[in-house]
Amino acid sequence: MDFGSADSWGAAIYFWIIPVVLGDAIFPPVPSEMVVITGGALSADGRANVFLVGGLSALASWIGDMVVFQLFRRRLSHVLDRWRWGRRVHKGIHDALAKAGRSSTYGTIIGARFIPGGRLATSAAAGIADVSVRGFSLCAGLGALLWACWLVGLGYFTGSATRLPFWASSLIGVVLGLVIGAVVGIIVTRRRGNRSPVEEPGPLA
């Protein structure tokens, strides 16, 4: 694959979206936002289908959220501790919960994915709090759709407005997304704080 070629990325972006966005559900440092924004930039350049990029991104986001939700709802998070990488992921989940708070309200399930670590924290918190599967599924689906539309739209807008190479448009979109996400994260964190009424039963296993 020629990483500088828009044609190569246009053909491969669909195969990158699902595993990267799924991975981000459990391990936030995975650059899912960058991949989705790149898909939007490639769409603006005519190298990808904007609806397919958005649909795959939303589907992968929803599936990832449901996996994390079920993992904590069924109290299976200890399964991660069987492997070294799993213990790191498990610790990262609790760190995300500590930083983003453990609110499991439906509004938070939809909106917290727009701040760093929020998607993971709210999915885990909803599972811990035994939120109904149907309610979480619907909110996660709506949130995933809004998240995908936002990132794909951001990439598409920067690509259309700048007419720069797709990778440059992607970087601009990522920077804009990080800045906006950081601002929203600061506002939400100050309002909500780090404390939560939801506590996971038992020690970290």
Side-chain angles (χ1 to χ4, degrees), residues 51-74:
F51 297 106
L52 185 55
V53 170
L56 289 174
S57 301
L59 177 62
S61 178
W62 178 78
I63 292 174
D65 291 349
M66 292 302 298
V67 169
V68 173
F69 171 72
Q70 290 289 354
L71 189 68
F72 279 82
R73 187 172 187 270
R74 297 176 183 276

Side-chain angles (χ1 to χ4, degrees), residues 107-133:
T108 303
I109 293 169
I110 295 171
R113 68 191 60 244
F114 293 94
I115 64 175
R119 177 185 170 202
L120 170 63
T122 51
S123 297
I128 294 169
D130 287 326
V131 172
S132 72
V133 176

Side-chain angles (χ1 to χ4, degrees), residues 144-175:
L145 183 61
L146 294 173
W147 177 83
C149 289
W150 158 245
L151 293 179
V152 173
L154 191 58
Y156 192 93
F157 172 77
T158 54
S160 300
T162 63
R163 290 301 176 185
L164 293 171
F166 80 96
W167 55 268
S169 299
S170 299
L171 289 176
I172 294 173
V174 168
V175 171

